[in-house]
Amino acid sequence: MDRRKEIREFLTSRRARITPEQAGLPVYGRGSRRVPGLRREEVALLAGVSVDYYTQLERGNGRGVSDSVLDNLARALKLTEAEHTHLFDLVRAANATTRPRRAARAQVRPAVQRFLDALTIPALVWTARSDTLAANRLGRALFSPVLQDRPLPVNNARFVFLDPKAQELFGDWEDVANDTVAVLRWEAGRNPYDRALTDLVGELSTRSEFFRTRWAAHNVHVHRNGVKKFHHPVVGDLSLAYELMSIEADTGLTLISFSPEPGSPSEDALRLLASWAATIDREQAAPPAPKPDPRRNR
C-alpha cells in the first residue's frame, strides 16, 4: 500500500466531512465554496500550523511531524479515538526507514484452546485480519455457515463479502460489512507491510463493489462490545451480546465471545444450538457401521 496516498486520502476524507459551522468558524461567501467541508487553510488555522505545512502533510509528507501537531490536527478534524490512532499509525509507517520483519504465522496455544472449550457460550479466536484460528463447540455451531467443516483458519471477511449466505446469517449484514471494512482499514494502518492483508484487500476490492466503495471512504473504528443479530439455519433468530478481549500473550489475537440475555428467546435458541452441536459431534465420532459380508447371502 502507498503510505503517502493513504495519508492524503484519509486527511482529505476527514476534512470533507467537517463543515465550518461544526468547526466553529465564521462562513463568508457560502456560494463560492468549492469543497464540501473545510478548506486547507481553515484546517491549518485550527491546527495552529501554516497552510504550506498542512498542505505538505495532506500530500503525504509526514516527515518530521511532531505528535503535538498530529494531536492538534486530530482535534481540528474532530477525529474519533480510533481515527486519531490511525493517523499516528499512517504517519509512523510513512516515516519508517526499514520494513518490519514478516510476522510468524499466528497459532493458538493449547492453553487458549482449553480455555475456549471450558466456556459454555460461543467463543472464537480471531486475528486482526478476521481469520478464525480456533473456536469451541458452540462457536463452531454458531458460525457453522462460515466454517462449514473447513480446516482453520477461515477468513470471515471473505465470507461477509463474497458468500451469499452471509446476508442470510447476519440480520444486520450491512452493519457487519461496514464494521469489517473499518477494522481492516484500522489494521492496514497498524501493519502496512502485512502481505496477507494487502492480498485480502486486493481480492475483496476486485470482487465486491460494496467493499471497494466502503474501503475508499477511509472509515476506521473498532468495536470492543455490542450486539449482533443472527438468523441461524438451524435455530433461527438470535440476538447475542459480544465482547472482544485481546490475548495479551499473543500479539494480534483476539478472543470474541457471544452471550444471550438471561431468560430471553435467544438463550433458549442457544440451548437448542448446543444440543444440535453435541448431536453432530456424536455422529462424527461414532465408528462407521460395518459393511455387510456378501458371503452370508450365498
Side-chain angles (χ1 to χ4, degrees):
M1 297 182 184
D2 185 338
R3 296 295 96 195
R4 293 173 67 96
K5 179 182 178 184
E6 292 292 311
I7 294 174
R8 180 175 69 250
E9 292 182 351
F10 178 69
L11 288 177
T12 301
S13 67
R14 300 310 92 173
R15 176 164 62 86
R17 72 178 184 179
I18 302 296
T19 65
E21 292 90 344
Q22 290 172 326
L25 294 174
V27 180
Y28 305 104
R30 180 180 299 275
S32 64
R33 296 186 70 88
R34 294 178 298 175
V35 293
L38 295 177
R39 297 178 172 128
R40 284 177 175 171
E41 56 267 28
E42 291 169 333
V43 176
L45 173 66
L46 292 169
V49 297
S50 70
V51 177
D52 288 342
Y53 188 93
Y54 175 72
T55 299
Q56 289 300 313
L57 178 57
E58 192 177 278
R59 288 174 178 171
N61 182 8
R63 190 171 302 279
V65 178
S66 67
D67 290 354
S68 61
V69 168
L70 293 178
D71 287 336
N72 291 342
L73 189 57
R75 283 192 290 271
L77 294 174
K78 299 187 180 300
L79 301 186
T80 66
E81 181 179 352
E83 291 170 336
H84 191 167
T85 302
H86 185 63
L87 176 60
F88 270 78
D89 288 337
L90 292 178
V91 172
R92 188 180 301 113
N95 290 338
T97 56
T98 59
R99 293 191 178 190
R101 294 182 179 179
R102 184 183 295 268
R105 183 176 178 180
Q107 294 182 328
V108 173
R109 290 176 289 113
V112 175
Q113 184 64 60
R114 290 195 297 270
F115 177 75
L116 287 177
D117 293 336
L119 296 175
T120 58
I121 56 176
L124 308 93
V125 172
W126 283 359
T127 69
R129 293 190 299 271
S130 296
D131 294 320
T132 296
L133 293 185
N136 61 8
R137 175 193 284 174
L138 206 44
R140 290 194 302 272
L142 180 61
F143 282 84
S144 57
V146 184
L147 304 180
Q148 295 180 331
D149 299 322
R150 301 169 183 167
L152 298 179
V154 172
N155 185 264
N156 296 279
R158 286 192 178 93
F159 175 79
V160 168
F161 292 103
L162 304 181
D163 195 320
K165 291 191 293 294
Q167 297 192 36
E168 301 172 10
L169 177 63
F170 298 115
D172 49 357
W173 176 83
E174 188 163 336
D175 289 341
V176 170
N178 284 329
D179 289 346
T180 301
V181 177
V183 169
L184 292 179
R185 260 290 176 201
W186 164 273
E187 182 61 16
R190 295 174 66 240
N191 293 297
Y193 301 113
D194 185 334
R195 179 61 182 272
L197 177 59
T198 300
D199 291 345
L200 174 63
V201 170
E203 177 187 355
L204 296 179
S205 297
T206 301
R207 300 178 61 187
S208 169
E209 182 179 357
F210 186 99
F211 179 89
R212 183 168 57 252
T213 302
R214 297 310 190 276
W215 184 258
H218 287 264
N219 292 327
V220 293
H221 59 246
V222 179
H223 292 305
R224 292 294 177 185
N225 54 65
V227 175
K228 277 197 189 305
K229 296 180 180 179
F230 297 85
H231 182 73
H232 196 276
V234 175
V235 300
D237 293 335
L238 302 99
S239 180
L240 302 175
Y242 68 87
E243 293 286 339
L244 273 70
M245 295 158 276
S246 298
I247 303 176
E248 296 299 330
D250 301 311
T251 303
L253 299 189
T254 299
L255 188 148
I256 179 170
S257 64
F258 298 86
S259 61
E261 187 74 23
S264 67
S266 293
E267 185 178 46
D268 295 335
L270 207 56
R271 289 197 189 99
L272 181 59
L273 185 63
S275 298
W276 173 76
T279 301
I280 295 299
D281 282 357
R282 285 194 298 268
E283 290 175 352
Q284 292 177 344
K291 295 181 180 180
D293 189 347
R295 292 175 297 181
R296 292 185 178 180
N297 298 325
R298 292 180 182 174

